[in-house]
Amino acid sequence: KAPTSPAPAPSHWTTEETIMQLLARIYESVQTFVKNNPTRYGDKDAKDVPWVLCWDVYSVHIKESVREKIKQLYPNCHLLYIPGGWTALLQALDLAFNFPFKRCVGGLFNQYLVEQMKSTLVSNRPD
């Protein structure tokens, strides 16, 4: 199960608190993945398995207090940062998953809208 977004901050901007909530949810996914893959990880606990978090250089991501908390709470988490302006070039999900997924969903939504308009026109047509 993919992690869900944490409750937004009152300002709706990402804060240190909301980013740590998100990380807790991501770590739950890491734990589940390790537990569900005994062939790969044996009887290791998730806290003993290294994992990588790839982020852009958004201010809260690079904040020293956030980095320290991550180091303290998730010592096997390796942080990688995508340089500014390079996210679309280097972030694999943006290129391999998000773009085709959004294009597909957008196309399906457009088809849905066309069908709804056709249905509305047919049902409202005078006899």
PDB file of all heavy atoms in Angstrom, residues 22-40:
ATOM      1  N   LEU A  22       5.073  12.371   6.676  1.00  0.00           N
ATOM      2  CA  LEU A  22       5.183  11.653   5.412  1.00  0.00           C
ATOM      3  C   LEU A  22       6.287  10.599   5.479  1.00  0.00           C
ATOM      4  O   LEU A  22       6.105   9.463   5.035  1.00  0.00           O
ATOM      5  CB  LEU A  22       5.442  12.624   4.263  1.00  0.00           C
ATOM      6  CG  LEU A  22       5.610  11.978   2.893  1.00  0.00           C
ATOM      7  CD1 LEU A  22       4.338  11.238   2.470  1.00  0.00           C
ATOM      8  CD2 LEU A  22       5.986  13.019   1.859  1.00  0.00           C
ATOM      9  N   LEU A  23       7.416  10.944   6.058  1.00  0.00           N
ATOM     10  CA  LEU A  23       8.507   9.981   6.192  1.00  0.00           C
ATOM     11  C   LEU A  23       8.108   8.785   7.041  1.00  0.00           C
ATOM     12  O   LEU A  23       8.497   7.654   6.745  1.00  0.00           O
ATOM     13  CB  LEU A  23       9.744  10.654   6.798  1.00  0.00           C
ATOM     14  CG  LEU A  23      10.659  11.292   5.786  1.00  0.00           C
ATOM     15  CD1 LEU A  23      11.738  12.099   6.475  1.00  0.00           C
ATOM     16  CD2 LEU A  23      11.271  10.251   4.885  1.00  0.00           C
ATOM     17  N   ALA A  24       7.339   9.015   8.084  1.00  0.00           N
ATOM     18  CA  ALA A  24       6.861   7.900   8.913  1.00  0.00           C
ATOM     19  C   ALA A  24       6.014   6.957   8.064  1.00  0.00           C
ATOM     20  O   ALA A  24       6.122   5.726   8.177  1.00  0.00           O
ATOM     21  CB  ALA A  24       6.066   8.421  10.107  1.00  0.00           C
ATOM     22  N   ARG A  25       5.198   7.513   7.199  1.00  0.00           N
ATOM     23  CA  ARG A  25       4.359   6.677   6.332  1.00  0.00           C
ATOM     24  C   ARG A  25       5.198   5.961   5.280  1.00  0.00           C
ATOM     25  O   ARG A  25       4.931   4.812   4.941  1.00  0.00           O
ATOM     26  CB  ARG A  25       3.269   7.518   5.696  1.00  0.00           C
ATOM     27  CG  ARG A  25       2.260   7.955   6.741  1.00  0.00           C
ATOM     28  CD  ARG A  25       1.161   8.759   6.138  1.00  0.00           C
ATOM     29  NE  ARG A  25       0.189   9.066   7.175  1.00  0.00           N
ATOM     30  CZ  ARG A  25      -0.654  10.054   7.100  1.00  0.00           C
ATOM     31  NH1 ARG A  25      -0.688  10.814   6.031  1.00  0.00           N
ATOM     32  NH2 ARG A  25      -1.500  10.290   8.080  1.00  0.00           N
ATOM     33  N   ILE A  26       6.198   6.640   4.752  1.00  0.00           N
ATOM     34  CA  ILE A  26       7.089   5.986   3.794  1.00  0.00           C
ATOM     35  C   ILE A  26       7.809   4.832   4.483  1.00  0.00           C
ATOM     36  O   ILE A  26       7.932   3.739   3.927  1.00  0.00           O
ATOM     37  CB  ILE A  26       8.091   7.001   3.200  1.00  0.00           C
ATOM     38  CG1 ILE A  26       7.363   7.985   2.290  1.00  0.00           C
ATOM     39  CG2 ILE A  26       9.218   6.290   2.457  1.00  0.00           C
ATOM     40  CD1 ILE A  26       8.213   9.158   1.830  1.00  0.00           C
ATOM     41  N   TYR A  27       8.269   5.068   5.706  1.00  0.00           N
ATOM     42  CA  TYR A  27       8.985   4.010   6.439  1.00  0.00           C
ATOM     43  C   TYR A  27       8.072   2.817   6.721  1.00  0.00           C
ATOM     44  O   TYR A  27       8.516   1.679   6.683  1.00  0.00           O
ATOM     45  CB  TYR A  27       9.592   4.556   7.726  1.00  0.00           C
ATOM     46  CG  TYR A  27      10.464   3.533   8.409  1.00  0.00           C
ATOM     47  CD1 TYR A  27      11.645   3.106   7.804  1.00  0.00           C
ATOM     48  CD2 TYR A  27      10.096   2.982   9.622  1.00  0.00           C
ATOM     49  CE1 TYR A  27      12.442   2.156   8.411  1.00  0.00           C
ATOM     50  CE2 TYR A  27      10.897   2.031  10.235  1.00  0.00           C
ATOM     51  CZ  TYR A  27      12.070   1.619   9.629  1.00  0.00           C
ATOM     52  OH  TYR A  27      12.852   0.673  10.215  1.00  0.00           O
ATOM     53  N   GLU A  28       6.797   3.066   6.959  1.00  0.00           N
ATOM     54  CA  GLU A  28       5.846   1.955   7.114  1.00  0.00           C
ATOM     55  C   GLU A  28       5.839   1.093   5.858  1.00  0.00           C
ATOM     56  O   GLU A  28       5.790  -0.134   5.935  1.00  0.00           O
ATOM     57  CB  GLU A  28       4.433   2.473   7.385  1.00  0.00           C
ATOM     58  CG  GLU A  28       4.217   3.036   8.755  1.00  0.00           C
ATOM     59  CD  GLU A  28       2.834   3.664   8.913  1.00  0.00           C
ATOM     60  OE1 GLU A  28       1.940   3.404   8.067  1.00  0.00           O
ATOM     61  OE2 GLU A  28       2.638   4.417   9.878  1.00  0.00           O
ATOM     62  N   SER A  29       5.920   1.744   4.695  1.00  0.00           N
ATOM     63  CA  SER A  29       5.966   1.007   3.436  1.00  0.00           C
ATOM     64  C   SER A  29       7.259   0.204   3.320  1.00  0.00           C
ATOM     65  O   SER A  29       7.253  -0.918   2.819  1.00  0.00           O
ATOM     66  CB  SER A  29       5.854   1.959   2.247  1.00  0.00           C
ATOM     67  OG  SER A  29       4.589   2.554   2.224  1.00  0.00           O
ATOM     68  N   VAL A  30       8.363   0.789   3.778  1.00  0.00           N
ATOM     69  CA  VAL A  30       9.643   0.066   3.767  1.00  0.00           C
ATOM     70  C   VAL A  30       9.522  -1.173   4.662  1.00  0.00           C
ATOM     71  O   VAL A  30       9.924  -2.275   4.271  1.00  0.00           O
ATOM     72  CB  VAL A  30      10.800   0.978   4.235  1.00  0.00           C
ATOM     73  CG1 VAL A  30      12.080   0.175   4.451  1.00  0.00           C
ATOM     74  CG2 VAL A  30      11.033   2.112   3.255  1.00  0.00           C
ATOM     75  N   GLN A  31       8.959  -1.000   5.854  1.00  0.00           N
ATOM     76  CA  GLN A  31       8.793  -2.129   6.767  1.00  0.00           C
ATOM     77  C   GLN A  31       7.936  -3.225   6.143  1.00  0.00           C
ATOM     78  O   GLN A  31       8.271  -4.403   6.217  1.00  0.00           O
ATOM     79  CB  GLN A  31       8.140  -1.665   8.079  1.00  0.00           C
ATOM     80  CG  GLN A  31       9.033  -0.817   8.928  1.00  0.00           C
ATOM     81  CD  GLN A  31       8.306  -0.285  10.148  1.00  0.00           C
ATOM     82  OE1 GLN A  31       7.199   0.229  10.052  1.00  0.00           O
ATOM     83  NE2 GLN A  31       8.934  -0.408  11.297  1.00  0.00           N
ATOM     84  N   THR A  32       6.838  -2.839   5.524  1.00  0.00           N
ATOM     85  CA  THR A  32       5.945  -3.812   4.890  1.00  0.00           C
ATOM     86  C   THR A  32       6.665  -4.531   3.757  1.00  0.00           C
ATOM     87  O   THR A  32       6.558  -5.743   3.615  1.00  0.00           O
ATOM     88  CB  THR A  32       4.681  -3.106   4.350  1.00  0.00           C
ATOM     89  OG1 THR A  32       4.023  -2.476   5.451  1.00  0.00           O
ATOM     90  CG2 THR A  32       3.735  -4.082   3.673  1.00  0.00           C
ATOM     91  N   PHE A  33       7.424  -3.791   2.962  1.00  0.00           N
ATOM     92  CA  PHE A  33       8.152  -4.389   1.847  1.00  0.00           C
ATOM     93  C   PHE A  33       9.157  -5.419   2.351  1.00  0.00           C
ATOM     94  O   PHE A  33       9.247  -6.527   1.818  1.00  0.00           O
ATOM     95  CB  PHE A  33       8.858  -3.308   1.027  1.00  0.00           C
ATOM     96  CG  PHE A  33       9.544  -3.844  -0.189  1.00  0.00           C
ATOM     97  CD1 PHE A  33       8.823  -4.113  -1.341  1.00  0.00           C
ATOM     98  CD2 PHE A  33      10.910  -4.087  -0.185  1.00  0.00           C
ATOM     99  CE1 PHE A  33       9.448  -4.617  -2.470  1.00  0.00           C
ATOM    100  CE2 PHE A  33      11.544  -4.586  -1.307  1.00  0.00           C
ATOM    101  CZ  PHE A  33      10.814  -4.854  -2.449  1.00  0.00           C
ATOM    102  N   VAL A  34       9.899  -5.071   3.372  1.00  0.00           N
ATOM    103  CA  VAL A  34      10.899  -5.993   3.931  1.00  0.00           C
ATOM    104  C   VAL A  34      10.211  -7.231   4.491  1.00  0.00           C
ATOM    105  O   VAL A  34      10.627  -8.362   4.229  1.00  0.00           O
ATOM    106  CB  VAL A  34      11.755  -5.291   5.008  1.00  0.00           C
ATOM    107  CG1 VAL A  34      12.604  -6.287   5.778  1.00  0.00           C
ATOM    108  CG2 VAL A  34      12.630  -4.212   4.360  1.00  0.00           C
ATOM    109  N   LYS A  35       9.138  -7.027   5.241  1.00  0.00           N
ATOM    110  CA  LYS A  35       8.409  -8.145   5.848  1.00  0.00           C
ATOM    111  C   LYS A  35       7.811  -9.070   4.790  1.00  0.00           C
ATOM    112  O   LYS A  35       7.799 -10.292   4.957  1.00  0.00           O
ATOM    113  CB  LYS A  35       7.293  -7.585   6.736  1.00  0.00           C
ATOM    114  CG  LYS A  35       6.554  -8.619   7.547  1.00  0.00           C
ATOM    115  CD  LYS A  35       5.643  -7.922   8.543  1.00  0.00           C
ATOM    116  CE  LYS A  35       4.220  -8.329   8.301  1.00  0.00           C
ATOM    117  NZ  LYS A  35       3.278  -7.668   9.177  1.00  0.00           N
ATOM    118  N   ASN A  36       7.340  -8.505   3.677  1.00  0.00           N
ATOM    119  CA  ASN A  36       6.691  -9.299   2.637  1.00  0.00           C
ATOM    120  C   ASN A  36       7.665  -9.908   1.636  1.00  0.00           C
ATOM    121  O   ASN A  36       7.228 -10.561   0.684  1.00  0.00           O
ATOM    122  CB  ASN A  36       5.655  -8.458   1.893  1.00  0.00           C
ATOM    123  CG  ASN A  36       4.472  -8.116   2.765  1.00  0.00           C
ATOM    124  OD1 ASN A  36       4.193  -8.790   3.747  1.00  0.00           O
ATOM    125  ND2 ASN A  36       3.777  -7.052   2.424  1.00  0.00           N
ATOM    126  N   ASN A  37       8.952  -9.688   1.827  1.00  0.00           N
ATOM    127  CA  ASN A  37       9.955 -10.237   0.919  1.00  0.00           C
ATOM    128  C   ASN A  37      11.029 -11.013   1.678  1.00  0.00           C
ATOM    129  O   ASN A  37      12.214 -10.682   1.626  1.00  0.00           O
ATOM    130  CB  ASN A  37      10.593  -9.117   0.089  1.00  0.00           C
ATOM    131  CG  ASN A  37       9.635  -8.564  -0.928  1.00  0.00           C
ATOM    132  OD1 ASN A  37       9.439  -9.165  -1.972  1.00  0.00           O
ATOM    133  ND2 ASN A  37       9.021  -7.445  -0.604  1.00  0.00           N
ATOM    134  N   PRO A  38      10.620 -12.105   2.377  1.00  0.00           N
ATOM    135  CA  PRO A  38      11.589 -12.852   3.185  1.00  0.00           C
ATOM    136  C   PRO A  38      12.676 -13.518   2.344  1.00  0.00           C
ATOM    137  O   PRO A  38      13.785 -13.747   2.835  1.00  0.00           O
ATOM    138  CB  PRO A  38      10.732 -13.890   3.906  1.00  0.00           C
ATOM    139  CG  PRO A  38       9.501 -14.021   3.066  1.00  0.00           C
ATOM    140  CD  PRO A  38       9.290 -12.674   2.443  1.00  0.00           C
ATOM    141  N   THR A  39      12.387 -13.823   1.098  1.00  0.00           N
ATOM    142  CA  THR A  39      13.402 -14.439   0.242  1.00  0.00           C
ATOM    143  C   THR A  39      14.583 -13.500   0.059  1.00  0.00           C
ATOM    144  O   THR A  39      15.731 -13.914   0.065  1.00  0.00           O
ATOM    145  CB  THR A  39      12.800 -14.784  -1.142  1.00  0.00           C
ATOM    146  OG1 THR A  39      11.643 -15.587  -0.942  1.00  0.00           O
ATOM    147  CG2 THR A  39      13.794 -15.505  -2.005  1.00  0.00           C
ATOM    148  N   ARG A  40      14.277 -12.218  -0.076  1.00  0.00           N
ATOM    149  CA  ARG A  40      15.331 -11.222  -0.281  1.00  0.00           C
ATOM    150  C   ARG A  40      15.980 -10.791   1.029  1.00  0.00           C
ATOM    151  O   ARG A  40      17.185 -10.602   1.097  1.00  0.00           O
ATOM    152  CB  ARG A  40      14.750 -10.007  -0.989  1.00  0.00           C
ATOM    153  CG  ARG A  40      15.770  -8.888  -1.181  1.00  0.00           C
ATOM    154  CD  ARG A  40      15.174  -7.720  -1.882  1.00  0.00           C
ATOM    155  NE  ARG A  40      15.176  -7.999  -3.312  1.00  0.00           N
ATOM    156  CZ  ARG A  40      14.615  -7.230  -4.221  1.00  0.00           C
ATOM    157  NH1 ARG A  40      13.987  -6.141  -3.863  1.00  0.00           N
ATOM    158  NH2 ARG A  40      14.667  -7.528  -5.493  1.00  0.00           N
TER     159      ARG A  40
END
